[in-house]
Amino acid sequence: MRSINPFRVVALLLLALLLSGCGYNQIQQKDEAVSAGWSEVLNQYQRRADLIPNLVNTVKGYAAHEQQVLTAVTEARAKVGNINVDADDPASLAQFQAAQGELSGALSRLMVVVENYPDLKADQSFLNLQTQLEGTENRITVARGRYIQLVQDYNTYVRQFPANLTAMVFGHKAKPNFTVENEAQISQAPAVDFGTTPAPAPEPQQPAPAN
């Protein structure tokens, strides 16, 4: 039986204490939290993408001639599905966010079109899909907001002394995050112009001449 080297044990204990004291364990915990938060963001975005085909088909049954709007939603969903996003790559995250913003805008325009079809708005299948979509949009907002906070917490920590030294040694860098400008743009419903000309205001009536 091999004997345990006491010096090796002491060295390992000292190394463990040093790593703990310089933030190594906290960096690992915060990094795992960011990864879990990102997985939830992707999960909710995928949930929305899964709802879109049924939503488009339902709307098409009542408003088949709204082809431009329906095509825009379908193409935006396809674009989102073709992106292999890497959350640690700023350019990849920006591309992902832009594609999701484009899809959000297309869905907003689709909902505006729906307002012109009372029968569609009363269809039970559409109502169920609309409820699920609204719930999913709320979940996306919550998951995205939580992820932003987790990344901010991680980035702040790995920039602080002495954790920044540990992060540098072990290759932990600050992570890219969703941009505030695009967040505001995504949450704002786009203006929709169907090319209609507003009716002219009625001309004021002249008082009838007194007899």
Side-chain angles (χ1 to χ4, degrees):
M1 181 176 178
R2 296 178 59 185
S3 60
I4 299 176
N5 189 330
F7 295 103
R8 185 177 182 183
V9 172
V10 172
L12 290 174
L13 289 174
L14 287 175
L15 179 61
L17 289 173
L18 288 173
L19 290 176
S20 176
C22 65
Y24 178 83
N25 290 341
Q26 289 85 344
I27 291 175
Q28 304 310 310
Q29 292 170 0
K30 293 178 184 297
D31 187 51
E32 286 298 321
V34 170
S35 296
W38 177 245
S39 295
E40 183 61 18
V41 170
L42 290 179
N43 181 50
Q44 298 306 330
Y45 274 126
Q46 185 59 50
R47 178 186 175 92
R48 178 172 72 171
D50 291 342
L51 289 172
I52 290 176
N54 287 338
L55 180 67
V56 169
N57 288 333
T58 302
V59 173
K60 189 183 299 183
Y62 289 86
H65 61 283
E66 301 285 359
Q67 194 61 44
Q68 183 176 358
V69 178
L70 294 169
T71 300
V73 173
T74 302
E75 291 180 347
R77 180 189 181 275
K79 185 176 180 180
V80 165
N82 289 331
I83 295 178
N84 294 319
V85 60
D86 178 4
D88 290 331
D89 177 19
S92 179
L93 182 61
Q95 183 186 22
F96 174 80
Q97 186 174 357
Q100 293 292 351
E102 183 178 336
L103 179 55
S104 295
L107 284 171
S108 295
R109 290 188 288 274
L110 180 63
M111 291 300 107
V112 171
V113 167
V114 166
E115 293 297 319
N116 298 323
Y117 298 89
D119 291 342
L120 171 58
K121 291 168 60 179
D123 181 90
Q124 190 59 48
S125 296
F126 173 77
L127 292 176
N128 291 337
L129 288 168
Q130 185 180 35
T131 300
Q132 293 181 58
L133 182 61
E134 290 173 351
T136 301
E137 293 290 355
N138 291 334
R139 292 187 184 95
I140 288 174
T141 300
V142 172
R144 196 170 54 208
R146 182 172 181 271
Y147 178 75
I148 289 172
Q149 293 176 350
L150 289 169
V151 172
Q152 288 175 341
D153 179 61
Y154 172 88
N155 288 346
T156 300
Y157 190 79
V158 298
R159 288 181 175 130
Q160 293 177 342
F161 180 85
N164 63 330
L165 300 178
T166 305
M168 181 176 61
V169 170
F170 290 95
H172 293 284
K173 300 179 181 179
K175 298 178 181 292
N177 208 343
F178 287 110
T179 60
V180 176
E181 292 80 4
N182 281 345
E183 286 299 299
Q185 184 178 5
I186 288 174
S187 62
Q188 181 179 3
V192 178
D193 181 9
F194 292 103
T196 56
T197 304
E203 296 181 359
Q205 295 182 353
Q206 299 294 330
N211 293 330

